[in-house]
Amino acid sequence: MISVILAILKIIGIVLLCLLGLLLLIILAVLLEPVRYQAAGSAAEKEIHARAGISWLLHLIQVKLELVNQRAGITVKLFGIPIRRMGTLFESTENEENPDSGNSSQKTDSEETGKNAERQRTDSNSETKIPKISDEVLESLPMEKNVLSEERKADRTQPAVRTVNRQKESTSKSEEEQKPQKEKNPESAAEAKKAEKAQRNTDRGRQRAERTKQKEEHAKRKEAQKEQKIQQKEEKRRRREKQREKLEDFLDQIQNPENQRAFRLVRTQTGKLLLHILPTRLSIQARVGLSDPAATGMLLGAFYALYPIYQDHIRVTGEFETEVLEGSFRLKGRIRIGSLLMIVFPVIRDKNVRRLIKQVFRR
């Protein structure tokens, strides 16, 4: 009985050890296996060709990008099997592989358009058929036209006569109304003059009151504008004082020895990060020629002044007779997740950096 229990425990222990070993292997593969990237391309006249790719875990996961002139395509592979394809490049290749489908669709479209044209022609012919007219009808047409013309003339003359009569009646009425107005008493005329004078005086008083109100409003506006200007000046002065205080505080923080240590650590770690991310292999070859040979010479001189930085990785040749811009490039690199963690972890763990981050967020 005890031997059976021990055998079961032994099997369970072996399974657990296998699972732990597999988990450890996966963790080490994720941390130590680098993400590799590479790119290459060339440009000549109006043709551009470029390829780029990213792979991880011994090429189990791959992403490739391809660019041909103005067409691009992306492919995603898992265990070497393409899962997803996107881009105009693959659409154009599919159309080239299946030209028959496009021709058949064009044929059907042309046949449909031909049938529609024939239908339209038949409809137009049926609609444009003109009926025959007898000679008797033709002879009767001019007589009807004369009758209609005479009726229209009579209709036109009638409204003119009516308008003349109306004008005469209106003039006679106005003359009759004006006669009794002239025969009124002179007393009513004097009263009317007095009323007009009183109305004028009231209008002048209203105008004076309105002018005084406008002057008062104008004075109030000037006072309000002066107060606004004073407030704006005070706000500007307060802002300047706040900016000076912030600048002084910032300078104090920079001069603080603890913050200086944090800045040094961040600077060194960012340098290591860039060195790790940048490509390990880089080669660029270019042929440049501008319209002016003097400008080409100045460009090459400025370029080779930076030769100690890029050394033999970049080569540029000048073309002084023709205007040319051609070249090719190739680069490779890798990024390890474990190395990134080793670079970032000291920065996160440092007390000075954490204190500085807290101060920044509090503000």
Side-chain angles (χ1 to χ4, degrees):
M1 188 67 183
I2 294 170
S3 61
V4 173
I5 293 167
L6 291 172
I8 291 166
L9 292 172
K10 183 179 179 182
I11 292 166
I12 292 167
I14 292 167
V15 171
L16 290 173
L17 287 172
C18 291
L19 291 173
L20 288 172
L22 183 61
L23 182 62
L24 182 62
L25 183 64
I26 291 167
I27 291 167
L28 290 173
V30 169
L31 294 174
L32 300 177
E33 180 62 25
V35 178
R36 303 180 188 275
Y37 64 90
Q38 57 183 355
S42 63
E45 294 181 356
K46 295 182 180 180
E47 294 183 357
I48 299 170
H49 298 277
R51 289 183 179 180
I54 299 169
S55 62
W56 190 38
L57 295 175
L58 300 172
H59 298 280
L60 295 176
I61 301 169
Q62 293 181 7
V63 179
K64 290 184 178 180
L65 172 65
E66 189 173 358
L67 176 66
V68 179
N69 293 332
Q70 294 182 353
R71 296 177 298 173
I74 299 170
T75 58
V76 181
K77 292 183 179 180
L78 184 64
F79 296 101
I81 300 166
I83 297 169
R84 187 76 181 274
R85 287 185 178 181
M86 298 177 289
T88 57
L89 184 64
F90 300 111
E91 291 177 359
S92 62
T93 54
E94 287 175 358
N95 292 326
E96 290 175 359
E97 289 175 357
N98 298 319
D100 296 332
S101 62
N103 292 326
S104 63
S105 63
Q106 289 177 359
K107 287 179 181 178
T108 55
D109 293 334
S110 62
E111 289 175 358
E112 288 179 357
T113 53
K115 290 178 180 178
N116 291 325
E118 289 178 356
R119 288 175 184 173
Q120 289 176 0
R121 288 175 186 172
T122 54
D123 294 334
S124 62
N125 291 325
S126 63
E127 288 175 358
T128 55
K129 285 181 181 180
I130 300 168
K132 293 181 179 180
I133 301 169
S134 63
D135 296 331
E136 296 176 354
V137 176
L138 291 171
E139 289 176 356
S140 64
L141 286 173
M143 294 296 288
E144 292 176 356
K145 289 182 179 177
N146 293 323
V147 173
L148 291 170
S149 62
E150 290 176 357
E151 290 178 354
R152 288 176 182 173
K153 286 179 182 179
D155 293 332
R156 290 176 184 173
T157 54
Q158 286 177 1
V161 173
R162 290 175 185 172
T163 54
V164 171
N165 294 324
R166 287 176 185 174
Q167 288 177 359
K168 288 180 180 179
E169 291 176 356
S170 63
T171 52
S172 63
K173 287 180 181 178
S174 62
E175 288 176 355
E176 290 176 356
E177 289 175 355
Q178 288 176 1
K179 286 180 181 179
Q181 288 178 0
K182 291 179 181 179
E183 295 176 354
K184 287 182 178 180
N185 295 324
E187 295 177 357
S188 62
E191 290 177 357
K193 287 181 181 179
K194 289 179 181 179
E196 287 179 357
K197 287 181 181 180
Q199 188 67 29
R200 288 174 186 174
N201 292 325
T202 54
D203 293 335
R204 287 175 184 175
R206 288 176 183 175
Q207 290 177 357
R208 288 175 185 174
E210 288 178 356
R211 288 174 185 173
T212 53
K213 285 181 181 179
Q214 289 177 357
K215 288 179 181 180
E216 290 176 356
E217 289 177 355
H218 186 66
K220 289 178 180 179
R221 287 175 186 173
K222 283 185 176 180
E223 290 177 357
Q225 288 177 357
K226 287 180 181 179
E227 290 178 356
Q228 286 179 357
K229 288 180 180 179
I230 293 164
Q231 289 177 358
Q232 288 176 358
K233 288 180 181 179
E234 289 180 355
E235 287 179 356
K236 287 180 180 179
R237 186 175 57 78
R238 290 173 184 174
R239 288 176 184 174
R240 289 175 184 174
E241 289 178 354
K242 288 180 180 179
Q243 289 176 356
R244 286 177 184 175
E245 290 177 357
K246 287 181 180 180
L247 183 61
E248 290 176 356
D249 191 7
F250 181 71
L251 293 172
D252 291 335
Q253 288 181 359
I254 290 172
Q255 293 175 358
N256 190 0
E258 294 178 352
N259 292 332
Q260 287 181 356
R261 290 172 191 169
F263 289 137
R264 284 196 212 102
L265 180 63
V266 171
R267 185 179 62 189
T268 54
Q269 296 302 108
T270 50
K272 290 179 181 179
L273 184 65
L274 290 173
L275 289 172
H276 182 71
I277 291 170
L278 288 173
T280 56
R281 294 181 183 179
L282 176 65
S283 65
I284 299 172
Q285 294 180 356
R287 191 161 68 96
V288 181
L290 301 176
S291 58
D292 188 6
T296 305
M298 292 174 68
L299 180 64
L300 292 173
F303 185 77
Y304 281 107
L306 302 173
Y307 181 79
I309 297 171
Y310 57 82
Q311 296 178 359
D312 293 332
H313 297 294
I314 302 172
R315 293 180 182 179
V316 180
T317 57
E319 194 70 33
F320 295 93
E321 295 180 356
T322 58
E323 189 174 355
V324 180
L325 181 59
E326 297 178 353
S328 62
F329 72 95
R330 188 182 294 275
L331 59 90
K332 287 183 179 180
R334 80 284 179 278
I335 300 169
R336 286 192 180 90
I337 296 171
S339 299
L340 293 176
L341 292 174
M342 292 292 290
I343 292 166
V344 174
F345 184 70
V347 177
I348 296 169
R349 191 184 63 179
D350 190 55
K351 294 180 181 179
N352 298 322
V353 174
R354 285 186 290 177
R355 187 177 57 79
L356 183 64
I357 292 166
K358 286 180 182 178
Q359 289 178 359
V360 170
F361 279 109
R362 281 176 184 173
R363 293 177 184 176

